[in-house]
């Protein structure tokens, strides 16, 4: 029935505009670098209709055949205006930001009215240039930390990378780097993100009303697109900071046709540690560092075909040595990601993208002490392919459809241990194989002048296939442990489901709008965590016959209004979210329990819900820009086997979350920025009582997450000093002084993290000290704080 | 895996700072704690106390007042049932000294200086025997708590020895060679005491002490024969130079008490020591310790079948 409705709507859109129409299509690029521009607005002022370019810079709009003025608007660039005879279809590729002066008009924010006009709720585009000007922790510009400053998004803990969107878990965010899934977006136990800001072109977060072309996660989509590289000339940029340095090289493969970019980053904490730990110390040899590299290349095969290759490889390596005990641990982990894409403009209304992806996340732990050796591996590897079509029927009607497939290989935990010639029984190396696929159809259309609907449906399937060994635990009395072996390729479990998505926008007379959305999502992968903090040891686990797919729905409604000619964007959104089949480890499970067993035998399943209100106020242009985000929310979990079946607050349940972010451009050389965060403290489980058993002091824990840490608040400030943009040269012929733009530019970025040195809680624990019989025994609650005030400075350059 | 947590913690300690805070911890409810043990050839011994609020006073009086009198405690081996008598540390029956000293955490010679009460019996028929299962019943204030534990077949080491470390020729770990029986589920506990004669003419240790991680089972080595080492837990009590931490000096004489237990007792001890080891570690999940007592009391009713070996620290 649903498909009939879509077909009807499709033809409705077609028939209305069947006669005397012409299509204008093309690609919008940056004249300086040749990079395609995402979200450029192509606008016809006389008929007040327009379209924005997609994530490949492509646009298409079909309007009545006539002469039209068309404006191309890009944030921060001069608007270009063309007078076109659109009596027939026309292709118009536009270079933006060049020296063309005709019809000059400065538009500071091209997407200014998108806030109220688009049908999408809960979506935020972040300007990468603005991210770079915000205060940075230890001088490392960080996309994920900036995301955490948005309403509805909270951080896991001080400095942490895990982010929680509207009460969803950290595994419920679909993090995409050039359309390939990133499973672990963190370096150094979560203090830094894997995204090197120099290699990133755009960041888009969808936290509610997920469109049907995205799936596989329940809470949000974080789309990160990499720079494509300058196809006009070679450029180098980089930065030298307190703990790391970056270098990026970009240039044409063939001028105006193809380009590449290579960007690398490495920390030097290991060098500092090497200098700090003398050779005589038992800890000599302990070190930590991470590096990552982004590579992208693109080539325009023809006017209609373009291929792009994106790659990411990053690794963290932590080593710990205690030479006295002859003890050595190495802990490497990292992601390898590749995406190969082919864009084809099939005709002036139909755009196709085909993507092949490879994602690999591996974690290892290797330890040796004397003759004893232990190693552990865990990871996930995906091969995927997808195809997407975008059809621009007319300005009031856009369609998208496509299909998506992934082959997953999960290695939850593979352990080996040996001593001399003795090999310990650590069970079978567990591997789980599965096929995940989906098809979707999405239709955005204006039902009336003021009423826009974005409706879609996604059908997803998941198939767990052999080989697989299922451990069945006996009670040890009447039933014994047993194994069931599934041969290669055999379907062990199959799940499927329909995921309807809809969002609507109603434009009011005063240019404000009301939007509402509903989405239903399935999620077939789970992140299992034994600890209260995100760690690389957290294990990705697929849906199986025991671990059922997570599923849930979210409904949201919001009021959107802009003021002062779109300079001030405001919105108020409220949401309710219901989540099923969430997972947690059973009470008392230990990491070692994963050995000689299936991880899902250790899991318990429950549900959760979250509701809240988010207020967002953003000043988009002017000398001063920034935003204020405030969230009121409540997030609970209910697990039959945990907390005696009683509801308990999620650890990141926060009643209040406020962030204030601002940048002020004083002049061409100085820019100042600041951010302030206030958040209700995270919840945690602390012991409510103590007792003594066999002389040992033991603790008894009460209700789960019933204690709340003190509130978190912090102010960071930053300042950037840019080098002079122009130099004065004397013309040898005339002797005249001329202003010439410098090729080499640099800036000093100063940051102070935690300006007023607030001792924010990272975690609390109950400590005991002394001896009963000596009369000096004490029990107290201790708070651990990670980061005091941290100033940093980074020197950035480009030429 | 445990190392992962410690290493991560070490890393955090480099940058972190700690301070005491006053924070509301809601949900305190008083609960009964039953701490009972029965070992081969020893009488059953049960102490009953109550939990205390985290912010309750922690002086010696609070500790002493925490023990519960007036409970009816019985132990049955399936054939005989005996009601235990309440005895106090300053008035113990003959033969109960060592186990009382171990349970109270007071040296045997000092027991008389305190008045801490527990339940035990002098009835020889209830002395622990290998192969028997013992049912404990505690009745108090109209509530009944029950627990059952078995004394399983002991396993003896093939050999024990001391071996100096390469960097410290006069200090080394205690080593043993163990052949694990072929059936799965063997669980072990390691305890030691040094019996060198001290300045006062008495052995230097009165009570057994456990190392950092004293219990393990044969999950990973069922039926295998192998050697392993344990550290000297006493070396952490006194000011020991860093290079000798965990090592026995040449000349020590050490009694190793190597006990076996049933699966429920093992699970209790495994989680108990995990709680002790991970106290204050943000990467651990705070969990209550599962036990073998029905009726809602904390603690454990533990049967052990120890084997003893004497290790003389000589090459």
């Amino acid at each position: 029935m649903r498909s009939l409705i879509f077909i009807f709507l499709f033809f409705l859109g077609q028939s209305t505009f069947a006669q005397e129409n012409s299509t204008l299509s093309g690609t919008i690029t940056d004249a300086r670098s040749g990079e395609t521009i995402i979200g450029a607005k192509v606008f016809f002022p006389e008929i007040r209709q327009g379209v924005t370019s997609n994530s490949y810079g492509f646009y298409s709009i079909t309007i009545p055949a006539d002469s039209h003025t068309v404006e191309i608007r890009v944030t921060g660039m001069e608007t270009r205006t063309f007078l076109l005879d659109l009596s027939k279809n026309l292709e118009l590729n536009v270079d933006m930001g060049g020296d063309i002066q005709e019809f000059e008009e400065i538009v500071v924010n091209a997407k200014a009215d998108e806030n109220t006009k688009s049908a999408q709720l809960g979506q935020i585009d972040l300007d990468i240039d603005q991210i770079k000007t915000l205060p940075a922790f230890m001088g490392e510009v960080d996309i994920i930390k900036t995301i955490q400053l948005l309403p509805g998004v909270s951080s896991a803990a001080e400095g942490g990378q895990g982010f929680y969107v509207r009460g969803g878990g950290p595994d419920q965010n679909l993090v995409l780097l050039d359309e390939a899934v990133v499973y672990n977006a963190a370096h150094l136990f979560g203090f830094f993100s894997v995204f090197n800001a120099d290699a990133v072109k755009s960041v888009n977060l969808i936290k509610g009303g997920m469109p049907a072309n995205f799936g596989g996660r329940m809470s949000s989509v974080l789309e990160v697109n990499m720079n494509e590289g300058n196809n006009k000339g070679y450029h180098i940029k980089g930065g030298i900071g307190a703990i790391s340095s970056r270098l990026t090289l970009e240039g044409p493969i063939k001028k105006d046709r193809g380009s590449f970019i290579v960007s690398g980053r490495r920390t030097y904490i290991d060098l500092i540690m090497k200098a700090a730990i003398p050779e005589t110390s038992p800890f000599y040899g302990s070190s930590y560092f991470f590096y990552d590299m982004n590579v992208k290349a693109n080539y325009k095969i023809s006017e209609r075909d373009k291929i792009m290759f994106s790659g990411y490889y990053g690794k963290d390596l932590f080593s710990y040595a205690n030479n006295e005990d002859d003890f050595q641990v190495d802990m490497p982990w990292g992601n390898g990601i590749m995406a190969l894409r082919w864009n084809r403009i099939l005709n002036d209304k139909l755009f196709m993208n085909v993507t092949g992806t490879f994602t690999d996340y591996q974690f290892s732990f290797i330890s040796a002490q004397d003759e004893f050796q232990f190693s552990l591996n865990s990871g996930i590897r995906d091969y995927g392919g997808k195809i997407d079509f975008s059809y621009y029927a007319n300005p009031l009607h856009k369609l998208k459809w496509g299909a998506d497939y992934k082959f997953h290989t999960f290695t939850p935990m593979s352990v080996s241990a040996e001593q001399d010639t003795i090999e310990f029984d650590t069970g079978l190396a567990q591997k789980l194989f599965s096929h995940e696929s989906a098809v979707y159809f999405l239709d955005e259309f204006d039902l009336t002048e003021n009423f826009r609907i974005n409706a879609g449906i996604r059908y997803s399937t998941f198939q767990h296939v052999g080989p697989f060994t299922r451990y069945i635990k006996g009670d040890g009395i009447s039933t014994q442990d047993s194994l069931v072996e599934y041969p290669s390729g055999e379907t062990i479990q199959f799940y499927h489901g329909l995921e309807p998505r809809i969002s609507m926008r109603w434009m009011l007379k005063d240019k404000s709008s009301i939007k509402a959305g509903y989405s239903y999502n399935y999620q077939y992968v789970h992140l299992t965590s034994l600890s209260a903090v995100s760690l690389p040891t957290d294990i990705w686990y697929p849906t199986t016959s025991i671990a059922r797919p997570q599923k849930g729905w979210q409904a949201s409604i919001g009021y959107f209004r802009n003021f002062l000619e779109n300079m001030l964007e405001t919105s108020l959104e409220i949401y309710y979210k219901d989540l099923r089949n969430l997972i947690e480890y059973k009470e008392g499970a230990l990491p070692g329990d994963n050995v000689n067993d299936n991880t899902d035998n250790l899991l318990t399943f429950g549900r959760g819900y979250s509701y809240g209100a988010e207020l967002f106020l953003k000043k988009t242009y002017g000398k001063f820009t920034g935003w204020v985000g405030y969230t009121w929310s409540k997030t609970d979990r209910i697990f039959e086997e945990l907390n005696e079946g009683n509801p308990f607050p999620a650890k990141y349940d926060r009643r209040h979350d406020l962030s204030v972010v601002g940048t002020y451009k004083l002049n061409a050389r100085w820019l100042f920025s600041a951010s302030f965060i206030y958040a209700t403290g995270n919840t945690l489980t602390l012991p409510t009582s103590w007792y003594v058993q066999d002389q040992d002091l033991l603790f008894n824990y009460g209700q789960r997450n019933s204690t709340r840490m003190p509130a978190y608040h912090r102010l960071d400030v930053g300042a950037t000093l840019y080098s002079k943009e122009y130099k004065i040269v004397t013309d040898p012929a005339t002797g005249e002084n001329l202003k010439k733009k410098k090729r080499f530019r640099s800036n000093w970025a100063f940051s102070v993290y935690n300006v007023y040195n607030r001792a924010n809680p990272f975690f609390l624990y109950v400590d005991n000290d002394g001896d009963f019989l000596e009369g000096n025994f004490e029990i107290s609650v201790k708070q651990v704080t990670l980061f005091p005030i941290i100033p940093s400075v980074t020197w950035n350059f480009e030429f | 895996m445990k190392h992962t947590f410690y290493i991560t913690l070490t890393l955090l300690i480099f940058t972190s700072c700690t301070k005491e805070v006053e924070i509301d911890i809601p949900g305190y409810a008083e609960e009964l704690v039953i701490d009972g043990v029965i070992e081969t050839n020893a009488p059953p011994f049960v102490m009953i106390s109550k939990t205390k609020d985290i912010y309750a006073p922690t002086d010696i009086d609070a500790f002493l007042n925490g023990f519960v009198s007036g409970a009816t405690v019985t132990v049955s081996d399936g054939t005989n049932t005996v009601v235990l008598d309440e005895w106090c540390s300053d008035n113990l029956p003959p033969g109960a000294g060592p186990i009382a000293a171990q349970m109270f955490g007071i040296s045997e010679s000092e027991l008389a200086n305190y008045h801490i009460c527990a339940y035990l019996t002098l009835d020889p028929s209830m002395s622990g025997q290998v192969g028997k299962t013992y049912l404990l019943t505690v009745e108090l204030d109209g509530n009944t708590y029950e627990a059952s534990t078995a004394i399983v077949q002991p396993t003896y080491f093939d050999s024990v020895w001391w071996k100096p470390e390469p960097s410290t020729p006069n200090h080394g770990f205690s080593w043993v060679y163990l052949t694990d029986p072929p059936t799965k589920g063997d669980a072990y506990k390691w305890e030691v005491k040094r019996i060198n004669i001290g300045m006062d003419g008495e052995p230097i240790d009165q009570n057994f002490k456990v190392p950092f991680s004293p219990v393990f089972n044969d999950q990973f080595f069922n039926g295998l024969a192998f050697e392993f080492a344990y550290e000297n837990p006493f070396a952490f009590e006194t000011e020991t130079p860093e290079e000798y931490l965990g090592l026995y000096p040449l000349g020590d004489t050490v009694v190793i008490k190597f006990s076996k237990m049933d699966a429920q007792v093992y699970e209790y001890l495994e989680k108990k020591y995990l709680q002790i080891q991970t106290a204050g570690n943000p990467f651990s999940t705070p969990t209550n310790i599962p036990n073998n007592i029905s009726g809602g009391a904390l603690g454990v009713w533990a049967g052990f079948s120890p084997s003893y070996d004497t290790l003389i620290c000589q090459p």
Side-chain angles (χ1 to χ4, degrees):
Chain A
M1 187 58 208
R2 280 192 186 97
S3 53
L4 276 179
I5 294 170
F6 283 119
I7 292 164
F8 168 72
L9 291 171
F10 175 74
F11 284 106
L12 176 81
Q14 287 290 62
S15 56
T16 321
F17 289 84
Q19 69 285 31
E20 298 162 24
N21 288 326
S22 294
T23 300
L24 178 72
S25 64
T27 305
I28 315 280
T29 47
D30 184 328
R32 293 161 298 186
S33 63
E35 291 257 359
T36 55
I37 296 173
I38 301 170
K41 184 148 194 179
V42 179
F43 186 64
F44 293 82
E46 289 121 1
I47 54 170
R48 301 207 59 75
Q49 282 178 354
V51 67
T52 48
S53 60
N54 70 9
S55 49
Y56 302 97
F58 175 78
Y59 73 94
S60 167
I61 184 165
T62 302
I63 51 167
D66 203 347
S67 286
H68 288 282
T69 304
V70 60
E71 296 175 355
I72 316 291
R73 302 174 177 179
V74 174
T75 304
M77 291 181 174
E78 282 178 19
T79 292
R80 293 196 63 185
T81 307
F82 301 86
L83 189 61
L84 302 174
D85 172 16
L86 275 174
S87 55
K88 55 181 190 211
N89 293 348
L90 195 67
E91 189 176 313
L92 179 69
N93 297 322
V94 186
D95 279 343
M96 297 296 292
D99 296 328
I100 297 122
Q101 300 295 318
E102 79 260 40
F103 302 102
E104 189 174 290
E105 183 195 351
I106 303 288
V107 170
V108 187
N109 189 350
K111 293 191 283 180
D113 57 358
E114 282 290 293
N115 179 47
T116 51
K117 276 195 166 171
S118 121
Q120 183 65 49
L121 282 100
Q123 175 173 340
I124 299 174
D125 285 320
L126 280 174
D127 180 1
I128 191 76
D129 290 331
Q130 186 175 19
I131 293 175
K132 284 182 182 172
T133 62
L134 296 180
F137 174 60
M138 293 193 186
E140 281 296 312
V141 174
D142 195 321
I143 287 162
I144 304 242
K145 286 210 177 68
T146 310
I147 297 258
Q148 291 167 350
L149 296 170
L150 299 170
V153 185
S154 49
S155 63
E158 171 92 282
Q161 286 295 322
F163 61 103
Y164 300 89
V165 178
R166 292 184 169 173
D171 61 338
Q172 293 177 358
N173 306 313
L174 179 65
V175 181
L176 297 172
L177 180 66
D178 278 352
E179 306 212 14
V181 175
V182 181
Y183 281 97
N184 183 344
H187 283 303
L188 184 59
F189 308 105
F191 298 137
F192 301 103
S193 98
V194 298
F195 303 113
N196 175 353
D198 278 353
V200 170
K201 176 174 175 172
S202 69
V203 181
N204 177 27
L205 176 76
I206 303 169
K207 56 185 178 172
M210 198 188 288
N213 52 320
F214 297 109
R217 297 291 188 281
M218 292 210 290
S219 283
S220 78
V221 182
L222 176 65
E223 252 192 308
V224 178
N225 288 306
M226 274 164 57
N227 278 323
E228 293 183 353
N230 195 313
N231 70 15
K232 309 280 181 195
Y234 292 97
H235 292 272
I236 288 176
K237 62 181 163 184
I240 297 169
I243 60 157
S244 79
S245 286
R246 294 166 276 120
L247 193 69
T248 301
L249 171 69
E250 58 183 325
I253 294 172
K254 188 178 177 188
K255 205 173 174 202
D256 293 332
R257 279 200 94 81
S259 60
F260 72 92
I261 179 166
V262 181
S263 189
R265 180 169 64 150
R266 191 195 192 282
T267 60
Y268 19 77
I269 307 167
D270 54 324
L271 303 177
I272 299 165
M273 283 173 84
K274 201 169 182 180
I277 305 173
E279 240 173 278
T280 49
S281 162
F283 303 109
Y284 182 75
S286 300
S287 78
Y288 168 79
F289 67 92
F290 74 74
Y291 62 86
D292 54 27
M293 182 165 270
N294 289 276
V295 178
K296 190 163 176 180
N298 71 87
Y299 198 81
K300 219 176 186 178
I301 305 168
S302 73
E303 283 311 305
R304 291 184 172 270
D305 295 278
K306 186 175 175 182
I307 51 167
M308 282 164 279
F309 170 81
S310 315
Y312 167 87
Y313 185 78
K315 198 153 217 173
D316 286 56
L317 185 67
F318 178 71
S319 303
Y320 172 84
N322 188 336
N323 303 321
E324 229 160 54
D325 290 349
D326 198 14
F327 179 63
Q328 171 78 35
V329 164
D330 289 309
M331 229 163 82
W333 73 94
N335 293 289
I337 295 164
M338 281 190 278
L340 185 63
R341 290 181 287 178
W342 168 39
N343 284 177
R344 180 169 172 80
I345 300 165
L346 292 167
N347 61 47
D348 49 22
K349 288 183 176 187
L350 187 59
F351 180 87
M352 180 187 77
N353 173 54
V354 181
T355 309
T357 60
F358 168 77
T359 294
D360 187 45
Y361 170 67
Q362 299 296 332
F363 167 81
S364 298
F365 177 94
I366 304 137
S367 81
Q369 183 165 29
D370 299 322
E371 286 86 32
F372 181 75
Q373 297 205 350
F374 174 86
S375 74
L376 179 154
N377 292 293
S378 164
I380 176 167
R381 178 173 290 178
D382 286 358
Y383 295 92
K386 69 194 275 264
I387 183 162
D388 302 281
F389 294 91
S390 302
Y391 185 73
Y392 300 83
N394 60 56
L396 309 180
H397 197 172
K398 267 180 284 179
L399 295 144
K400 256 188 182 181
W401 65 92
D404 190 351
Y405 167 79
K406 279 185 198 76
F407 178 69
H408 300 284
T409 306
F410 295 84
T411 311
M413 197 181 270
S414 150
V415 173
S416 72
E418 58 189 71
Q419 184 181 19
D420 283 340
T421 52
I422 310 278
E423 207 164 295
F424 293 94
D425 172 18
T426 50
L428 301 157
Q430 287 186 54
K431 272 195 188 256
L432 294 95
F433 304 93
S434 40
H435 303 280
E436 183 177 354
S437 49
V439 288
Y440 72 89
F441 185 86
L442 163 66
D443 191 356
E444 182 172 291
F445 55 94
D446 288 15
L447 209 56
T448 70
E449 199 182 332
N450 294 321
F451 192 48
R452 179 178 293 177
I453 293 181
N454 182 321
I457 189 133
R458 188 178 175 91
Y459 172 72
S460 60
T461 69
F462 189 87
Q463 191 183 9
H464 176 205
V465 295
F468 178 62
T469 307
R470 164 65 64 194
Y471 287 81
I472 297 169
K473 290 281 160 185
D475 60 10
I477 303 160
S478 56
T479 53
Q480 299 303 315
D481 294 359
S482 59
L483 296 177
V484 179
E485 301 277 356
Y486 294 92
S488 179
E490 182 174 315
T491 299
I492 300 158
Q493 191 72 35
F494 179 76
Y495 294 99
H496 66 118
L498 277 175
E499 306 175 36
R501 319 271 175 86
I502 187 162
S503 56
M504 291 164 282
R505 181 266 287 148
W506 180 260
M507 211 68 200
L508 302 175
K509 284 207 175 87
D510 58 0
K511 302 280 182 214
S512 64
S513 63
I514 292 173
K515 302 182 192 181
Y518 171 88
S519 61
Y520 194 95
N521 295 49
Y522 278 89
Q523 176 168 338
Y524 299 100
V525 294
H526 315 265
L527 185 65
T528 65
S529 176
L530 266 173
S531 64
V533 182
S534 290
L535 278 183
T537 50
D538 295 352
I539 293 170
W540 284 96
Y541 202 78
T543 291
T544 60
S545 56
I546 292 177
R548 298 172 65 78
Q550 300 184 49
K551 57 184 180 180
W553 59 269
Q554 183 185 169
S556 51
I557 186 163
Y559 177 72
F560 297 76
R561 183 166 181 172
N562 292 359
F563 296 94
L564 305 171
E565 295 186 355
N566 297 324
M567 186 168 74
L568 211 56
E569 292 178 4
T570 65
S571 65
L572 174 67
E573 289 184 53
I574 56 174
Y575 71 90
Y576 183 89
K577 193 176 200 171
D578 186 281
L579 306 165
R580 304 285 165 131
N581 297 339
L582 301 177
I583 62 160
E584 290 277 356
Y585 273 100
K586 284 178 185 164
E587 203 92 57
L590 301 175
D593 296 346
N594 282 297
V595 179
N596 270 324
D597 205 346
N598 303 119
T599 300
D600 52 6
N601 283 335
L602 314 173
L603 303 175
T604 182
F605 307 92
R607 66 188 190 91
Y609 59 85
S610 178
Y611 52 86
E614 295 161 4
L615 187 66
F616 194 44
L617 177 71
K618 186 178 180 188
K619 185 169 180 294
T620 56
Y621 61 90
K623 278 197 153 194
F624 176 79
T625 57
W627 69 82
V628 178
Y630 169 75
T631 310
W632 182 97
S633 65
K634 186 164 165 49
T635 303
D636 275 344
R637 296 282 186 262
I638 304 165
F639 281 71
E640 209 174 299
E641 292 185 30
L642 301 179
N643 207 40
E644 293 165 345
N646 297 316
F648 58 90
K651 63 188 168 208
Y652 39 86
D653 168 52
R654 286 187 186 159
R655 209 62 69 243
H656 307 283
D657 207 327
L658 171 77
S659 48
V660 182
V661 178
T663 57
Y664 181 74
K665 195 170 174 56
L666 180 71
N667 53 40
R669 299 200 59 196
W670 277 103
L671 189 143
F672 297 94
S673 62
S675 63
F676 173 77
I677 306 166
Y678 173 92
T680 306
N682 280 2
T683 63
L684 82 168
T685 313
L686 282 184
T688 53
S689 62
W690 57 268
Y691 59 102
V692 175
Q693 189 268 319
D694 192 14
Q695 301 172 55
D696 292 313
L697 177 91
L698 301 176
F699 292 115
N700 191 37
Y701 292 88
Q703 297 273 307
R704 208 175 171 98
N705 293 344
S706 59
T707 301
R708 206 168 267 285
M709 292 196 212
Y712 184 100
H713 51 89
R714 197 187 78 223
L715 174 70
D716 304 337
V717 295
T720 313
L721 172 65
Y722 296 92
S723 63
K724 285 180 180 157
E725 208 170 339
Y726 296 94
K727 60 182 174 186
I728 305 295
V729 287
T730 309
D731 188 327
T734 61
E736 202 181 333
N737 281 346
L738 296 173
K739 222 173 158 188
K740 195 179 169 198
K741 202 166 188 173
K742 285 180 174 177
R743 183 169 164 84
F744 185 88
R745 291 187 303 280
S746 67
N747 69 65
W748 288 93
F750 306 94
S751 276
V752 183
Y753 181 88
N754 197 5
V755 171
Y756 54 87
N757 199 19
R758 155 87 174 164
N760 278 309
F762 179 63
F763 70 99
L764 305 180
Y765 67 97
V766 173
D767 190 30
N768 65 86
D769 206 11
D771 194 303
F772 271 119
L773 301 177
E774 286 168 19
N776 58 1
F777 182 73
E778 269 186 5
I779 291 179
S780 57
V781 180
K782 296 274 174 68
Q783 172 185 302
V784 175
T785 298
L786 279 191
F787 302 121
I789 179 169
I790 302 176
S792 60
V793 59
T794 306
W795 182 65
N796 300 303
F797 60 88
E798 60 180 296
F799 54 91
Chain B
M1 275 307 288
K2 277 176 204 147
H3 281 298
T4 319
F5 301 137
Y6 304 136
I7 291 159
T8 315
L9 198 65
T10 315
L11 195 79
L12 289 177
I13 287 164
F14 280 127
T15 54
S16 64
C17 77
T18 304
K19 67 170 185 180
E20 192 172 329
V21 289
E22 283 285 330
I23 190 154
D24 179 37
I25 305 175
Y28 169 68
E30 189 179 76
E31 287 180 74
L32 201 68
V33 182
I34 297 171
D35 184 7
V37 64
I38 183 163
E39 288 185 0
T40 321
N41 300 326
F45 190 99
V46 179
M47 292 167 78
I48 304 176
S49 60
K50 287 191 169 162
T51 58
K52 298 270 185 196
D53 188 290
I54 281 295
Y55 290 118
T58 52
D59 52 66
I60 184 82
D61 288 334
F63 176 66
L64 295 178
N65 292 334
F67 292 97
V68 174
S69 291
T72 305
V73 181
T74 55
V75 175
S76 165
D77 64 2
T79 315
N80 302 310
T81 302
V82 172
V83 179
L84 306 193
D85 305 311
E86 190 172 347
W87 290 84
C88 296
S89 57
D90 48 0
N91 181 28
L92 285 170
I99 198 158
Q102 185 74 42
M103 292 292 283
F104 292 140
I106 300 167
S107 72
E108 206 177 329
S109 55
E110 283 185 60
L111 281 172
N113 302 336
Y114 296 94
H115 182 75
I116 311 172
C117 300
Y119 302 83
L120 65 143
T121 180
L122 299 179
D123 188 335
S125 72
M126 210 41 76
S127 184
Q129 288 179 43
V130 170
K132 281 194 171 177
T133 298
Y134 295 90
L135 175 73
L136 171 77
T137 310
V138 175
E139 287 171 52
L140 182 72
D141 301 332
N143 297 316
T144 303
Y145 308 90
E146 279 191 338
S148 145
T149 188
I151 298 186
V152 299
Q153 284 294 335
T155 298
Y156 301 91
F157 295 127
D158 297 350
S159 55
V160 302
W161 69 94
W162 173 84
K163 189 171 80 181
E165 288 297 289
S167 57
T168 54
N170 292 322
H171 290 77
F173 290 110
S174 52
W175 287 84
V176 294
Y177 197 90
L178 175 71
T179 304
D180 181 69
T183 49
K184 202 155 190 170
D186 295 289
Y188 305 94
K189 181 183 182 192
W190 177 287
E191 293 165 273
V192 282
K193 74 174 172 187
R194 297 164 303 175
I195 54 169
N196 323 0
I197 303 302
M199 297 289 216
D200 55 1
E202 295 284 322
I204 52 173
D205 300 323
Q206 297 256 329
N207 295 330
F208 283 97
K209 188 172 177 66
V210 293
F212 187 65
S213 188
V215 295
F216 56 93
N217 71 0
D218 64 357
Q219 187 188 359
F220 304 128
F221 54 77
N222 181 42
L224 296 177
F226 58 98
E227 60 181 47
F228 64 92
Y230 254 116
E231 82 274 15
N232 170 10
F234 296 101
F236 297 93
E237 281 186 334
T238 49
E239 277 190 23
T240 310
E242 204 174 304
E243 62 268 33
Y244 300 144
L245 268 182
L247 304 179
Y248 290 102
L250 180 78
D252 266 5
T253 305
V254 184
V255 177
I256 301 169
K257 180 182 178 185
F258 191 56
S259 309
K260 287 187 71 179
M261 69 210 87
D262 66 23
Q264 281 190 303
V265 174
Y266 173 71
E267 193 187 2
Y268 173 86
L269 292 179
E270 182 194 28
K271 301 282 156 69
K272 168 184 156 171
Y273 288 109
L274 185 78
Q275 192 194 83
I276 294 170
Q277 289 159 9
T278 59
N281 181 339
F283 307 115
S284 65
T285 312
T287 47
N288 286 320
I289 304 164
N291 69 8
N292 58 358
I293 304 170
S294 69
L298 305 174
V300 68
W301 169 232
F304 293 107
S305 55
S307 65
Y308 296 90
D309 274 280
T310 302
L311 167 70
I312 298 166
C313 298
Q314 294 288 346

